[in-house]
Amino acid sequence: MRFRWPEGTLFHRVVLDVEQDSCTSCGRPLYICAHRRHRIFTLTGPRELLCRLAHCSDPACPARPHTLSPRVELTHALPGWLIGWDVFCWMGHRRFARHWSVPQIRAELRDAYRISLSADAISVYLHRYQTMVAARQQDPQHL
């Protein structure tokens, strides 16, 4: 089931644009064809990333069917994630450097940052963190 934000949640909106101004194939200007909203928890409060998607303005351009997304979106969170990188790193540090349990992490997120995540969601993110660390350390058995 998809996460539902509490009624009345105030989001800090961050508008993200595609970095390039023109098509790499034909050189014509890009235009905004759609918007994508991505809501995430951060340690500073809830954010709504408003990504302006663009494609070539020339209908005959071979690159027109390819919609471009802002690359900077990945610096905030990965697609489909409910948390930002700051929360992800905070949880990983608490779990693996300080040996906190999932209930401890969950309680601290709720009390200190007003982030309400289920225990299974925290477990999934911690597993992803562990996988990233293993990839960084090149542990082929874990991967």
Side-chain angles (χ1 to χ4, degrees), residues 68-142:
L68 301 173
S69 297
R71 283 187 225 131
V72 74
E73 179 184 12
L74 297 177
T75 64
H76 294 275
L78 285 178
W81 280 22
L82 192 57
I83 60 173
W85 284 110
D86 57 346
V87 178
F88 182 72
C89 293
W90 183 92
M91 286 190 324
H93 177 73
R94 297 305 185 276
R95 176 71 179 120
F96 297 107
R98 296 187 180 177
H99 307 290
W100 283 19
S101 66
V102 171
Q104 274 182 302
I105 293 170
R106 185 175 186 215
E108 184 66 19
L109 284 173
R110 185 178 53 246
D111 294 343
Y113 301 104
R114 293 181 293 175
I115 297 174
S116 59
L117 291 174
S118 65
D120 60 333
I122 291 172
S123 295
V124 166
Y125 287 120
L126 291 175
H127 181 69
R128 290 176 182 167
Y129 183 90
Q130 188 175 9
T131 303
M132 286 183 186
V133 170
R136 174 72 173 101
Q137 300 300 326
Q138 297 179 356
D139 184 359
Q141 289 180 338
H142 182 75

